[in-house]
Amino acid sequence: MKFKFLLTAAVAVALQAAPGAAQQSENTLRWTSEASLTTIDPYFNYHREAMLLNGQLVWDTLAYKTADGEYLPLLATEWEWIDDQTLEFKLRDDVKWHDGEPFTIEDAVYTFNYISTPENGVNVQSNVNWIESAEAVDETTLRLNLKKPFPAAMEYISTLHAILPDGFFGDTGQAGANGRLVGTGPYKVADFVQGDRIRVEAFDGYFADSPKGMPTFDAIVYRTIPDTSTQIAELLSGGVDWIWRVPPDQAEPMSGVPDITVSADETMRISFLSMNLRDMEGGNPMQDAKVREAVALAIDRQTIVDQVIGEGSTVINSPCFRTQFGCIENATDIGYDPEKAKELLAEAGYGDGMTVRMTSYRSREWTEAVSGYLANVGINVEASVLDYANARERVVNNEVNMMLGDWGSYGVNDVSALLNNFFTLSEDDMAQDEAVSEALLAAAQTADPDARMEQYEFAVNEIADKLYWYPMWTHPTTYAYNSNLEFESHPDENPRFFMSKWADE
Amino acid sequence: MLRFIFRRAAVGVLVLVAVAILTFALTNAAVDPARAIAGDSATADDIRAIRELYGFDRPLHIQFLAWAQDIIQGDLGQSYRQRRPVSDVVLERLPVTMILGATAFLLAVVVAIPLGILAGLKPNSWIDRCALTIAVLGQAVPNFWLALMGIVIFSVQLRLLPASGSGTWQSFVLPSVALAYYAMPTLMRLTRAGMIDTLQSDYVRTARAKGLLPPQVVLKHALRNAILPLVSVSAVQLGMMLGGSVVIETIFAMQGIGYLAWESITMSDPPVVQAIVLTIASFYVVLTFSADVINAWLDPRLRGS
């Protein structure tokens, strides 16, 4: 729930009020977000907050992915692809769990075997369903068998696959059911109230040469505050030190508040206008390439980015994020030209206008902006702004001509995490192009980078040229925090609190 | 009287059954639970597997009967998200909602009834006008606006009260006031109207003629009759505060069942949503039933045939 229209007033009033005493003196970082974390482990959650807070502060992955996309040793000292479907890791033997027990290969074997068993029902199956099994080759060598060649494996292993202690989910499937709610990470769980708060405290026994570094805070406290205005009020009144996803219309007045830093940064999440090419009851005008081009020509993306989305967002011309492996820049050169759009529509036989159905799930404002531009050239849009599950249902049931969608790729720097979800002939695939699907599937199962790149180049160009997707813009994330906090944000939307600290007083 | 009680109780049970059927049907119509559990990037196979695992592939009426049978046995099911019994999840959150609802209700009553009496004693006087203005404002101002203004003034500006949370008594001040202010006008108007009515009645004139002191006339004779309708309305108001504080609990991030409802809806956790709707419906049924019984006890005419 967001009661945004009042925020401007709130912020204006607060301009005169400096934020309260930060938790600098207690060396505690208090942050908040709207995500209600009902389980503490990173696998039975959808929330980035859970993945980041718990997955990285409390637990460690085998490797660590830096902000530049480099993999560094973490719980594993080295790794190697034995073949297309087999990965081997050499594990550290000097790491301790928070309760003092040594970290062993059984823990890693348990974790991978538990999360990859479909019956255990890890929330995001595509993060784990390419793993066949894990086994111990010897006391420190872990072998991961994949179901199929999966070149992006290290992306997931270095970000999402936190290693849990053996037996962690017990028989009940609840985190810590074995009585050991412990990790190997720089912070240990001190307090957890479902849906409300999590307090983690520095773990003194953390291994010194971890790329995450030794703990910089004595404690990090997370609280769920569902309402954006309340979050801002808490930041302004000194109740919390860090918030994110600040609405752009609030970011500007807030940047004038003393001792509050506001920064908007680009993320990997991209928006796209997805066009439905399947046969629909009563005909589907989107099957005509001229109509699709007219739609693209009608939308002034730059103005929407400047006026509606705000700082940190840029217009994209490829159906992927530029740093992702397989992405080529400027796959399309279609710009804003409403006159040409009208001509194309007339040529296609829609000179008197037409009506299409569009669904979206991110922002009513963005949806209305796009609909407005389309209305200008005579395309009347019946828009439905829904939550993701319901918007997706309309796509799956073939009920809409277009979807203004977006995808964050879970921060995975490989287009397989994006395009393979939408163009592999699944029920999410609105284009149903067999050649594109074949190329994407082949690329996802090939280890050779050049061969992969070739396949992706073909797929990305086809998607852009045939306008299955019209690429729109990147999503910004706006952070606001106490200015005494040393904090750096990255496009992968991973706040990396272990790298932050309070500035020296 | 006993027959009356049984009759009302039977109606209450029927209401609960109707609510149960509606809740189950609506939560199932709102979103496909298998798809919701499977998550953003699930494939058709994942969804199919989950559908079979949770038994969502059975016909809806069979699922309903199984669910209803469990509920009668006191088993509200398992939360999909929290992976523990729904009853634990709901019971954990009840105290905050109870405290908030009770405080707000008491606050509303303590302010509304004296104000209503004063306004009723002197209709059209300045005090009546003030009371009416307060009432009109209370009805017109949305409670979330009042809540946010409270946060801006008392948390951000004055730093007197916390902006969110439910850990300390201070956290309850702003939400209670916001909730109470919304319920107060109805109670006040009813008291005022009741007072004006009864003060003009014959028995009050008789009481005055007997030479009773004004406070005795007002409090002993007039008020007792004037507040009869308040009993029924209060029951509904209290029910509303216990069940209808979703917005207030969400704004103040209070760990009550209103906030839990919002959380469970956004996370697609139907078993919890169903349990909350049933709990709130039970509040209403019990409160209305109690109000009926109290009213019937106060006024034998209401027992009817």
Side-chain angles (χ1 to χ4, degrees):
Chain A
M1 277 183 211
K2 294 182 180 74
F3 304 100
K4 281 207 303 202
F5 63 96
L6 271 164
L7 278 176
T8 317
V11 172
V13 172
L15 276 174
Q16 294 121 39
Q23 289 293 292
Q24 201 167 1
S25 51
E26 291 182 20
N27 197 23
T28 299
L29 172 70
R30 300 159 310 161
W31 67 293
T32 185
S33 179
E34 64 175 31
S36 164
L37 305 184
T38 46
T39 61
I40 195 161
D41 67 272
Y43 295 107
F44 292 93
N45 268 295
Y46 295 109
H47 298 295
R48 207 166 262 270
E49 286 83 350
M51 173 191 127
L52 302 171
L53 184 85
N54 308 318
Q56 299 185 3
L57 294 177
V58 178
W59 287 285
D60 284 323
T61 39
L62 290 181
Y64 170 74
K65 190 174 113 176
T66 66
D68 302 324
E70 195 188 340
Y71 308 130
L72 300 178
L74 193 55
L75 285 178
T77 51
E78 54 190 280
W79 50 90
E80 176 186 17
W81 283 96
I82 304 298
D83 58 48
D84 277 4
Q85 287 176 249
T86 317
L87 253 170
E88 268 188 18
F89 295 87
K90 202 86 189 148
L91 304 186
R92 295 183 70 117
D93 56 5
D94 57 349
V95 174
K96 295 242 181 304
W97 294 98
H98 295 154
D99 58 2
E101 295 291 315
F103 158 71
T104 66
I105 194 155
E106 277 78 37
D107 302 312
V109 169
Y110 167 81
T111 302
F112 284 108
N113 284 335
Y114 188 90
I115 62 175
S116 62
T117 305
E119 288 73 41
N120 291 330
V122 166
N123 279 19
V124 185
Q125 281 293 315
S126 57
N127 287 345
V128 294
N129 62 9
W130 41 271
I131 302 170
E132 174 68 44
S133 63
E135 56 188 311
V137 177
D138 57 46
E139 273 186 13
T140 55
T141 310
L142 175 79
R143 178 176 292 163
L144 209 55
N145 303 306
L146 312 190
K147 283 182 185 153
K148 55 186 184 189
F150 191 69
M154 282 306 290
E155 280 288 311
Y156 293 87
I157 291 168
S158 63
T159 53
L160 295 170
H161 295 165
I163 304 299
L164 308 169
D166 191 9
F168 185 72
F169 291 108
D171 300 327
T172 62
Q174 269 198 282
N178 64 343
R180 293 183 69 205
L181 189 55
V182 292
T184 56
Y187 293 87
K188 55 189 182 195
V189 178
D191 183 27
F192 170 48
V193 180
Q194 279 175 319
D196 184 21
R197 63 181 183 273
I198 300 173
R199 180 186 172 88
V200 296
E201 290 172 359
F203 173 47
D204 298 331
Y206 194 53
F207 55 104
D209 51 343
S210 161
K212 294 182 185 174
M214 291 302 280
T216 47
F217 299 105
D218 290 345
I220 300 178
V221 181
Y222 172 75
R223 269 181 63 207
T224 302
I225 299 182
D227 185 45
T228 316
S229 8
T230 313
Q231 291 178 7
I232 293 176
E234 284 284 14
L235 179 70
L236 293 174
S237 61
V240 300
D241 308 308
W242 186 98
I243 62 174
W244 68 345
R245 297 173 182 160
V246 180
D249 52 335
Q250 300 313 314
E252 209 191 313
M254 260 173 84
S255 57
V257 180
D259 296 329
I260 296 282
T261 301
V262 178
S263 71
D265 290 301
E266 192 172 43
T267 70
M268 259 172 110
R269 184 174 293 274
I270 63 161
S271 268
F272 46 82
L273 191 60
S274 177
M275 320 243 192
N276 188 3
L277 273 83
R278 293 168 292 183
D279 292 329
M280 292 174 77
E281 226 171 282
N284 179 5
M286 309 313 291
Q287 288 175 326
D288 188 333
K290 284 183 181 158
V291 174
R292 299 202 296 276
E293 195 178 343
V295 165
L297 287 163
I299 303 167
D300 185 355
R301 297 169 299 171
Q302 191 60 53
T303 303
I304 297 179
V305 163
D306 292 343
Q307 305 292 327
V308 185
I309 304 175
E311 209 190 323
S313 168
T314 49
V315 168
I316 50 167
N317 288 308
S318 295
C320 42
F321 187 72
R322 59 176 185 277
T323 64
Q324 287 182 311
F325 181 88
C327 191
I328 48 167
E329 289 194 60
N330 298 319
T332 182
D333 55 1
I334 298 180
Y336 177 52
D337 189 345
E339 289 314 312
K340 195 169 169 205
K342 282 182 200 162
E343 278 167 34
L344 283 172
L345 283 176
E347 280 173 37
Y350 298 101
D352 300 329
M354 59 188 284
T355 298
V356 293
R357 285 193 298 275
M358 178 170 89
T359 191
S360 71
Y361 48 86
R362 186 62 50 189
S363 154
R364 187 168 291 281
E365 288 94 335
W366 302 5
T367 311
E368 279 169 7
V370 169
S371 306
Y373 276 112
L374 293 176
N376 280 345
V377 300
I379 303 173
N380 175 35
V381 179
E382 289 171 1
S384 48
V385 184
L386 305 164
D387 61 282
Y388 174 73
N390 284 303
R392 177 174 185 241
E393 199 138 315
R394 304 243 167 151
V395 169
V396 169
N397 296 338
N398 200 15
E399 292 167 349
V400 288
N401 304 92
M402 291 189 287
M403 172 174 74
L404 177 59
D406 60 75
W407 202 251
S409 305
Y410 294 96
V412 174
N413 219 357
D414 192 288
V415 294
S416 63
L418 172 71
L419 298 182
N420 286 48
N421 190 60
F422 291 99
F423 292 102
T424 48
L425 307 182
S426 69
E427 49 186 356
D428 290 286
D429 187 348
M430 292 168 96
Q432 298 288 326
D433 185 318
E434 285 176 18
V436 169
S437 166
E438 214 170 286
L440 288 174
L441 291 173
Q445 303 190 2
T446 312
D448 174 33
D450 294 335
R452 296 188 73 209
M453 196 62 214
E454 202 176 308
Q455 305 279 13
Y456 280 137
E457 212 173 307
F458 168 77
V460 167
N461 275 322
E462 284 286 288
I463 291 164
D465 292 345
K466 294 190 171 163
L467 280 168
Y468 298 151
W469 274 8
Y470 185 47
M472 304 296 268
W473 45 70
T474 54
H475 289 215
T477 289
T478 304
Y479 305 84
Y481 48 93
N482 188 299
S483 300
N484 288 328
L485 188 69
E486 288 177 6
F487 171 77
E488 196 184 336
S489 59
H490 306 286
D492 61 5
E493 279 183 285
N494 178 352
R496 291 182 173 81
F497 286 134
F498 41 82
M499 301 278 185
S500 292
K501 62 184 177 66
W502 288 110
D504 296 327
E505 279 179 287
Chain B
M1 185 72 184
L2 213 57
R3 263 184 68 193
F4 172 81
I5 291 178
F6 276 129
R7 219 168 41 231
R8 301 308 298 169
V11 171
V13 170
L14 283 179
V15 168
L16 279 181
V17 171
V19 169
I21 294 174
L22 270 176
T23 314
F24 189 82
L26 287 176
T27 42
N28 273 284
V31 70
D32 175 353
R35 205 178 279 286
I37 293 173
D40 282 5
S41 57
T43 63
D45 285 340
D46 299 339
I47 294 169
R48 203 169 307 125
I50 285 175
R51 191 163 286 142
E52 280 164 23
L53 189 70
Y54 284 90
F56 297 140
D57 51 347
R58 295 173 299 171
L60 207 57
H61 66 276
I62 303 282
Q63 289 184 51
F64 173 75
L65 288 177
W67 176 73
Q69 194 181 354
D70 286 346
I71 286 188
I72 291 167
Q73 293 168 354
D75 177 8
L76 289 169
Q78 194 84 4
S79 158
Y80 299 157
R81 298 289 172 225
Q82 308 207 17
R83 292 154 65 77
R84 59 195 186 121
V86 170
S87 45
D88 289 4
V89 177
V90 175
L91 283 177
E92 207 175 84
R93 301 291 191 92
L94 262 181
V96 168
T97 302
M98 292 288 202
I99 295 172
L100 179 63
T103 323
F105 180 71
L106 280 180
L107 202 62
V109 168
V110 164
V111 177
I113 291 183
L115 214 56
I117 295 174
L118 287 176
L121 280 176
K122 290 182 181 165
N124 298 323
S125 64
W126 67 269
I127 195 159
D128 184 29
R129 299 264 173 242
C130 285
L132 276 181
T133 311
I134 294 174
V136 167
L137 275 179
Q139 271 170 335
V141 171
N143 58 0
F144 69 83
W145 188 85
L146 198 68
L148 285 174
M149 282 301 118
I151 292 178
V152 169
I153 296 168
F154 294 100
S155 305
V156 177
Q157 277 291 67
L158 301 175
R159 306 265 163 92
L160 288 175
L161 296 164
S164 66
S166 45
T168 57
W169 69 265
Q170 287 97 330
S171 328
F172 283 87
V173 176
L174 284 177
S176 302
V177 172
L179 208 53
Y181 195 52
Y182 187 66
M184 209 190 62
T186 321
L187 299 180
M188 201 212 77
R189 277 164 174 271
L190 266 177
T191 316
R192 176 183 178 272
M195 285 305 286
I196 292 176
D197 249 18
T198 44
L199 284 175
Q200 284 165 355
S201 62
D202 293 342
Y203 71 88
V204 170
R205 201 180 310 130
T206 312
R208 280 196 176 127
K210 279 199 301 187
L212 291 179
L213 293 170
Q216 274 179 305
V217 177
V218 172
L219 296 178
K220 247 183 122 180
H221 291 77
L223 185 63
R224 271 174 79 162
N225 286 288
I227 63 166
L228 263 180
L230 267 183
V231 176
S232 325
V233 173
S234 298
V236 177
Q237 293 281 5
L238 184 55
M240 210 179 70
M241 290 192 183
L242 292 176
S245 53
V246 177
V247 170
I248 291 297
E249 285 183 9
T250 307
I251 290 180
F252 289 100
M254 302 188 84
Q255 298 292 309
I257 57 168
Y259 172 40
L260 179 66
W262 177 83
E263 241 179 287
S264 310
I265 291 167
T266 50
M267 288 190 303
S268 298
D269 199 348
V272 180
V273 178
Q274 288 158 351
I276 293 172
V277 175
L278 277 184
T279 310
I280 293 171
S282 313
F283 284 158
Y284 269 101
V285 168
V286 169
L287 287 169
T288 332
F289 172 73
S290 318
D292 284 347
V293 173
I294 293 173
N295 272 338
W297 172 66
L298 287 172
D299 186 347
R301 284 171 302 177
L302 291 175
R303 289 171 208 169
S305 53

